[in-house]
Amino acid sequence: MLRIAVQSKGRLYEDTMQLLSEADIKVTASKRTLLVSAQNFPLEVLYLRDDDIPQSVATGVADIGVVGENEYQERGAEADIISRLGFSRCRLSLAIPKDIDYQGLEWFNGKTIATSYPVILNRFLDEHHIHADVHVITGSVEISPGIGLADAIFDIVSSGSTLVSNNLREVEVVMQSEALLIGHPDMSQEKRDILNQMLFRFEAVKQAEDKKYVRMNAPKAKLDEIINVLPGLKSPTIIPLADEEWCSVHTVLDQKRFWEIIGQLKDLGAQGILVTPIEKMIL
């Protein structure tokens, strides 16, 4: 049985549970139960505070864990990064009152900065030879300048709306963060085998992100031109139709260029274009 530590609530919890669900690993969430076994996979989920996850994995309380890169870097726990999961993206930034004329990092010399991430902040300040007073605070860091507790803050930023509502503006991005899958360095081979099965499922889900399966009827006279505009995985599937002058073309398109390519296909005479979302893709 493999044990994974997951944040007990919040955005990272929701994104992690969605990934497990998409990988067909069925876990019944319960706010009152800290340890829950999956119904159809040798996995048990341990619900923890996000800042406790790196240490729980490093000490072997959990075999693996999903944690924000910000917490992983801040805690400095001896756990291996297994995979970058690509969700729960945010950044750690310095922010100051919006009416201040900011000219550069030198502004922070002699200032007080409130943060929940003193390790990352002090490392950044040392690298840039900035001498500031770091005030460690938990909870609502963003209110610190407004109540006179600090001159600036260093905190997580996603949309930036929280900064705006507290009359702050982001002036320096210190690091980008996303969800990481981390692991205990000394897992048994049995547990690594289970982990590899899970990673295989995760990769199939990830490969299908923003992909569409497209089927269309195409005139054979334009087939070479149609194939040239299709960025398929290898080459499109071509199926003959009853009408010898037409064929059916099947391919996979990325969402980013979807409408651009669909427009080109229509201009080349493609008809009856059917678009289907892809749930999983195994390469």
Side-chain angles (χ1 to χ4, degrees):
M1 181 77 74
L2 187 71
R3 179 179 293 177
I4 182 172
V6 172
Q7 184 174 315
S8 58
K9 60 182 179 179
R11 177 182 161 201
L12 189 55
Y13 161 81
E14 294 170 358
D15 288 344
T16 302
M17 299 310 289
Q18 180 179 344
L19 176 60
L20 290 173
S21 176
E22 290 175 346
D24 295 326
I25 299 174
K26 298 180 181 179
V27 178
T28 302
S30 174
K31 293 183 179 180
R32 296 185 179 182
T33 306
L34 296 180
L35 189 63
V36 179
S37 295
Q39 300 172 20
N40 61 341
F41 194 81
L43 181 77
E44 54 184 7
V45 180
L46 175 64
Y47 296 110
L48 296 174
R49 285 167 47 99
D50 57 346
D51 51 358
D52 289 334
I53 292 175
Q55 189 65 20
S56 73
V57 174
T59 58
V61 173
D63 303 304
I64 58 175
V66 177
V67 66
E69 188 170 3
N70 53 308
E71 289 293 346
Y72 176 77
Q73 294 288 348
E74 180 67 22
R75 304 301 160 187
E78 295 183 2
D80 297 333
I81 297 178
I82 296 172
S83 176
R84 292 181 173 273
L85 297 175
F87 56 73
S88 296
R89 287 190 171 97
C90 62
R91 56 195 181 274
L92 283 174
S93 297
L94 286 159
I96 63 175
K98 66 179 183 180
D99 57 352
I100 289 178
D101 181 23
Y102 180 76
Q103 298 296 324
L105 276 173
E106 294 74 16
W107 181 88
F108 290 98
N109 274 312
K111 299 295 194 299
T112 300
I113 308 171
T115 185
S116 300
Y117 300 95
V119 173
I120 297 173
L121 176 57
N122 279 314
R123 184 191 306 144
F124 176 79
L125 295 175
D126 289 345
E127 288 173 354
H128 292 84
H129 309 291
I130 302 296
H131 302 285
D133 179 26
V134 176
H135 183 76
V136 181
I137 187 173
T138 57
S140 302
V141 174
E142 64 276 358
I143 69 171
S144 300
I147 62 176
L149 189 61
D151 302 298
I153 70 166
F154 176 64
D155 203 14
I156 291 175
V157 179
S158 294
S159 66
S161 59
T162 302
L163 295 181
V164 172
S165 63
N166 285 276
N167 295 314
L168 299 172
R169 65 186 175 101
E170 186 179 11
V171 292
E172 300 285 345
V173 177
V174 174
M175 70 169 283
Q176 300 288 341
S177 178
E178 65 178 294
L180 302 177
L181 181 65
I182 60 175
H184 184 64
D186 297 320
M187 270 187 287
S188 67
Q189 187 58 52
E190 179 184 0
K191 291 184 177 182
R192 289 191 182 277
D193 290 342
I194 298 172
L195 172 60
N196 288 334
Q197 293 177 42
M198 189 173 71
L199 290 174
F200 175 76
R201 295 190 185 195
F202 285 177
E203 185 62 22
V205 172
K206 186 176 181 180
Q207 289 292 339
E209 288 178 356
D210 300 321
K211 299 290 195 305
K212 305 292 183 183
Y213 187 76
V214 180
R215 292 167 288 178
M216 72 201 80
N217 293 333
K220 286 186 177 179
K222 294 286 187 177
L223 187 57
D224 289 342
E225 294 176 71
I226 287 174
I227 291 174
N228 284 336
V229 303
L230 294 177
L233 295 177
K234 291 185 178 179
S235 63
T237 300
I238 311 298
I239 301 174
L241 297 177
D243 187 333
E244 294 183 356
E245 294 183 359
W246 288 78
C247 60
S248 178
V249 179
H250 296 211
T251 191
V252 174
L253 296 182
D254 192 283
Q255 182 66 43
K256 293 178 181 178
R257 295 190 59 206
F258 177 78
W259 290 110
E260 170 196 347
I261 293 172
I262 289 296
Q264 294 179 46
L265 294 173
K266 285 186 64 63
D267 290 342
L268 290 169
Q271 298 178 4
I273 301 173
L274 300 178
V275 182
T276 307
I278 299 175
E279 185 176 300
K280 298 172 185 68
M281 182 182 296
I282 300 170
L283 301 179

